[in-house]
Amino acid sequence: MLALRLARGAHPLVLLRRLAVAAASAGTGFLLLCALGYALGHPQAAGSSALRLAWCVVPLAATVHFAVAVARTDPATRPRAALFTVGLGPARLMLLSAISTAIACTLGSMVALLFFLHLRGDISGLPLDGAAAELLGAGQPLPIAAVCTLLLIVPVAGTVAGALALRPRTVKSGARKGSSGRSGTSGTSGTSGTSGNASAENAEAAVGPGVADGEPAPPLPQPAGLPWGVALMAVGLAVETYAARDAAGASGFPLPGRLASSSAAVLGGWAVTAFGLALAGPALTYLCGQLLQSARPGAARLLAGRALQEESRRIGRPLGVLCAVASAGLAALHLYGGAAPRIGPLTVLGGSLVAGCAVLTLATAAIEARQSRSDTTAALLKLGAPASMLRGAAGLRALALLAVFGPLTWLVGTLAAAPLTG
């Protein structure tokens, strides 16, 4: 009930983000049910039905990633002193966030079920009644257990992933390091003789080392994912190139358009390349911050570069995922060569769902980063910093990210399409 009350009294923008999670869950649930409907209508094509279900993993991962990003920016689950006094610590706030995510995803799954039944013709009296009856296996009884299992995949996966992302973490005494993570991180400093000493130690653990002594916190170290990301991109491109040379003897992997003759190894290499790009995103974002601060920077460049370094772990991975999706779209454009692709509505729905979730996840991470800098921004304005300088720093951050990730996306997309168009 508390989660429902918090959801009802939330800001309209927060409600809009939750509705977006519900919409993404509805789209993914509908794709899963369509795979089930195709299997019911075509019992002789078991392999094709399993392949359709396997392709739903991509929009499922995009939806869960988006749900986790929304859960991280939920203001209702942000730790506050008043909530701690009534017993709502980090663990219970994590539970509230998981319940909110489960409610949004379950709502989307219910909408997907109603739309699926309507297109099958099981629910009449509305437009498009039975419009996809043949495709969705109309006339065949729906297995209730299979329907419930498919509809529960998104809520369960989103809830578990959100709970793991927001779980309270402990910081051991004597090994505390500065962190830009969620403010719900708790510190354990052992047992002390008085409550005053415990409060002081907890306060020191919350603000990080050096801050309690009046010294600035040290800069965060560079994320360590760049070598692994580059290695995975190289391996993926090599596997794709090697597999494309022997495409005639490879097993077909049915896809729309000219990808119908591609082998599973080609698409597997493509997936490894995209994963490597997503893994290298935080380190590349950190390097963008370093580039902005090089060669005698001014105040705006210093502010923009330090902000990128602090936010590299928060926005780097969503940015890498978006670049992976964009490189896949660019590779598809190179592959089709301007010809109209033979794709169906479900393919369009799946592609739009993945691209939309990637864009919304990055936007949500940017909102979270802006919220984390709110105190710094307020302090700068109070000290007399002009608002134009803050806007200029934001523009510099966007230009630096575009200058690094734009050519990289084009290069990966072009190299991924080259073996298939040769």
Side-chain angles (χ1 to χ4, degrees):
M1 291 301 297
L2 179 58
L4 290 175
R5 289 178 179 271
L6 292 175
R8 187 181 61 181
H11 191 273
L13 185 59
V14 177
L15 292 177
L16 184 61
R17 291 201 294 263
R18 291 172 179 167
L19 288 178
V21 172
S25 176
T28 305
F30 180 74
L31 290 175
L32 291 170
L33 291 177
C34 287
L36 175 62
Y38 182 85
L40 294 176
H42 304 79
Q44 71 283 357
S48 179
S49 301
L51 185 61
R52 286 172 178 261
L53 186 61
W55 271 113
C56 295
V57 174
V58 179
L60 173 63
T63 301
V64 171
H65 191 209
F66 177 48
V68 171
V70 171
R72 288 174 59 90
T73 57
D74 194 348
T77 59
R78 191 174 304 161
R80 299 181 182 90
L83 295 179
F84 279 98
T85 58
V86 297
L88 291 178
R92 293 193 178 183
L93 289 178
M94 177 201 66
L95 180 61
L96 288 177
S97 178
I99 293 175
S100 299
T101 304
I103 291 174
C105 293
T106 304
L107 176 62
S109 296
M110 294 300 101
V111 172
L113 177 61
L114 292 177
F115 194 63
F116 174 76
L117 295 177
H118 171 59
L119 291 182
R120 282 185 93 238
D122 296 337
I123 300 178
S124 58
L126 296 174
L128 301 178
D129 182 22
E134 183 179 356
L135 177 64
L136 302 181
Q140 300 291 333
L142 284 176
I144 304 300
V147 172
C148 293
T149 300
L150 292 177
L151 290 179
L152 285 175
I153 289 178
V154 180
V156 171
T159 303
V160 172
L164 291 177
L166 301 179
R167 69 188 185 277
R169 298 174 177 85
T170 57
V171 182
K172 295 182 179 180
S173 178
R176 298 168 186 148
K177 298 181 180 180
S179 174
S180 61
R182 188 176 175 89
S183 57
T185 303
S186 60
T188 58
S189 56
T191 58
S192 58
T194 62
S195 59
N197 293 335
S199 300
E201 292 181 1
N202 290 334
E204 182 185 353
V207 298
V211 179
D213 300 331
E215 301 177 359
L220 291 176
Q222 180 178 352
L226 184 59
W228 288 103
V230 173
L232 286 177
M233 284 189 284
V235 169
L237 292 173
V239 170
E240 182 183 353
T241 303
Y242 180 78
R245 293 179 179 177
D246 195 24
S251 58
F253 203 70
L255 282 174
R258 292 171 59 187
L259 280 175
S261 59
S262 300
S263 66
V266 172
L267 299 174
W270 197 349
V272 172
T273 303
F275 182 73
L277 183 58
L279 185 62
L284 292 176
T285 304
Y286 191 93
L287 289 178
C288 289
Q290 284 185 332
L291 290 176
L292 281 176
Q293 298 178 81
S294 61
R296 302 178 64 181
R301 286 172 55 192
L302 278 174
L303 185 60
R306 184 58 184 268
L308 279 182
Q309 288 180 331
E310 294 291 333
E311 299 161 4
S312 59
R313 291 167 175 81
R314 182 177 289 114
I315 68 173
R317 188 148 300 168
L319 187 58
V321 171
L322 179 60
C323 290
V325 174
S327 64
L330 183 62
L333 290 178
H334 281 289
L335 187 61
Y336 291 123
R342 300 186 299 272
I343 58 178
L346 295 181
T347 306
V348 174
L349 175 61
S352 303
L353 183 62
V354 172
C357 286
V359 173
L360 291 176
T361 302
L362 179 59
T364 305
I367 292 174
E368 182 188 6
R370 183 179 180 181
Q371 291 174 351
S372 67
R373 313 193 293 269
S374 59
D375 294 340
T376 303
T377 303
L380 289 174
L381 292 175
K382 188 176 180 180
L383 291 173
S388 59
M389 187 187 71
L390 299 180
R391 291 193 295 267
L396 286 174
R397 290 196 298 269
L399 289 177
L401 293 175
L402 183 62
V404 172
F405 283 92
L408 180 62
T409 302
W410 176 83
L411 178 63
V412 172
T414 304
L415 292 178
L420 302 177
T421 55

